[in-house]
Amino acid sequence: MSVTHASFTIERDYPQPPARVFAGYADPAAKRRWLIEGEGFTVESYQPGFGVGEAEHSSFRFKGGPLITNDTVYTDIEEGRRIVFTYWMTLEGKPMSTSLVTVLIEPNGTGTRMTFTEQGAYNEGFADVAGREQGTRLLLDALERDLSANG
Amino acid sequence: MSVTHASFTIERDYPQPPARVFAGYADPAAKRRWLIEGEGFTVESYQPGFGVGEAEHSSFRFKGGPLITNDTVYTDIEEGRRIVFTYWMTLEGKPMSTSLVTVLIEPNGTGTRMTFTEQGAYNEGFADVAGREQGTRLLLDALERDLSANG
């Protein structure tokens, strides 16, 4: 068993102020819209959480495929500024990866600059780091659309 | 607030077989000896844990200094082979860091090769990554002594 260690950083600018972008993570209804119920995903279970030491769980299938689980624990939160969490995933019960994510939220003019960094430990067979980064970019696109639609 | 992202890897060879080295993490009595009750540390609280999704908590002072907390959640375990966990620390209530640790345990002759990788997000004021690596080396020294003494 090999484990691939890698990291990637994505920067995004949003026209909304930091409090709105932060709420994309803090508000369970907003988070459910952009993070959980993406196009093509069938949600099997979802228990939201937000707060240091709090857990969040979801299980879902993409286009009728195998069952995927995502467990998250929030480890460090500064209101409106910083969210740190770890999440780990399984595919049909097989452990895929554990990731440590830092989301920095900073004022940028009247909007927000977000810096999203994922440091990951990806198990053998699940070490498509470029694919993980691309999937994360698609999620941040969904956050952007959600902020615009629910302003 | 800046966050420093960094990683380090430490390799260790132990004369004991993989099952013994793995038990250094899995057995709460062993773990308490080498990881928690180090020289100079006063333990204020300790709730051990081991298992995917399980939490572990300790709080302690070093040489009568400020209160430090350590919360751990185990995210991926393969018996005798692989332990992945995330831990986050505070100092007098201030969040210091979150770290993702991969411990790989492999046979090496009649002994064990351990590869310990920490990927960390270190908050401003707590970004002494070289110090964190050195502290980790001292802990793995303590594990080595404990394995020899309790063989």
Side-chain angles (χ1 to χ4, degrees):
Chain A
M1 163 64 74
S2 73
V3 176
T4 298
H5 296 98
S7 70
F8 58 85
T9 296
I10 302 170
E11 293 199 336
R12 286 293 169 102
D13 291 325
Y14 297 100
Q16 292 82 11
R20 286 287 322 285
V21 176
F22 183 83
Y25 283 92
D27 172 21
K31 189 162 50 182
R32 177 160 193 141
R33 284 193 307 265
W34 73 267
L35 185 61
I36 303 298
E37 300 201 327
E39 203 180 322
F41 288 90
T42 309
V43 180
E44 303 263 346
S45 65
Y46 180 49
Q47 291 100 38
F50 192 75
V52 173
E54 278 191 38
E56 179 163 337
H57 173 80
S58 65
S59 61
F60 52 89
R61 299 175 192 274
F62 182 64
K63 295 186 176 174
L67 187 69
I68 300 169
T69 65
N70 180 322
D71 284 275
T72 296
V73 171
Y74 295 88
T75 64
D76 181 6
I77 295 172
E78 184 182 348
E79 174 81 24
R81 301 291 301 276
R82 183 177 75 253
I83 306 164
V84 185
F85 59 91
T86 184
Y87 74 93
W88 59 101
M89 299 182 78
T90 69
L91 181 80
E92 292 290 355
K94 286 189 199 140
M96 299 171 70
S97 61
T98 303
S99 303
L100 166 56
V101 173
T102 305
V103 180
L104 292 179
I105 294 169
E106 295 166 293
N108 181 26
T110 58
T112 301
R113 156 84 36 116
M114 174 197 283
T115 309
F116 182 109
T117 300
E118 167 157 335
Q119 297 164 280
Y122 307 98
N123 286 346
E124 204 170 317
F126 300 106
D128 175 14
V129 182
R132 182 69 65 107
E133 178 173 346
Q134 181 55 21
T136 303
R137 288 183 184 277
L138 294 175
L139 288 170
L140 296 180
D141 289 347
L143 170 58
E144 191 169 346
R145 284 194 302 273
D146 191 72
L147 287 167
S148 297
N150 295 280
Chain B
M1 161 65 74
S2 73
V3 176
T4 298
H5 297 98
S7 70
F8 58 85
T9 296
I10 301 170
E11 292 201 336
R12 286 293 169 103
D13 291 325
Y14 297 99
Q16 293 82 11
R20 286 285 324 287
V21 176
F22 182 82
Y25 283 92
D27 172 22
K31 188 162 52 179
R32 179 162 191 136
R33 285 193 307 265
W34 72 268
L35 184 61
I36 303 297
E37 300 201 329
E39 203 179 323
F41 288 89
T42 309
V43 179
E44 304 263 347
S45 65
Y46 180 50
Q47 290 101 38
F50 192 76
V52 173
E54 278 190 38
E56 179 163 337
H57 173 80
S58 65
S59 62
F60 54 87
R61 297 175 193 275
F62 182 64
K63 297 187 174 170
L67 187 69
I68 300 169
T69 65
N70 180 323
D71 284 275
T72 296
V73 62
Y74 295 89
T75 63
D76 182 7
I77 295 173
E78 186 182 345
E79 174 82 24
R81 300 294 301 277
R82 182 178 75 253
I83 306 164
V84 184
F85 59 91
T86 294
Y87 75 95
W88 57 103
M89 300 183 78
T90 69
L91 181 80
E92 293 289 357
K94 284 187 201 144
M96 300 171 71
S97 60
T98 303
S99 303
L100 166 56
V101 173
T102 306
V103 180
L104 291 179
I105 294 169
E106 296 167 293
N108 182 25
T110 58
T112 300
R113 156 82 39 113
M114 175 198 283
T115 308
F116 181 109
T117 300
E118 168 158 335
Q119 297 164 278
Y122 308 99
N123 286 346
E124 202 171 319
F126 301 105
D128 175 14
V129 182
R132 182 68 66 104
E133 178 173 347
Q134 182 55 22
T136 303
R137 289 182 183 278
L138 294 174
L139 288 171
L140 295 179
D141 289 347
L143 171 59
E144 191 168 347
R145 286 193 302 275
D146 191 72
L147 287 167
S148 297
N150 295 279

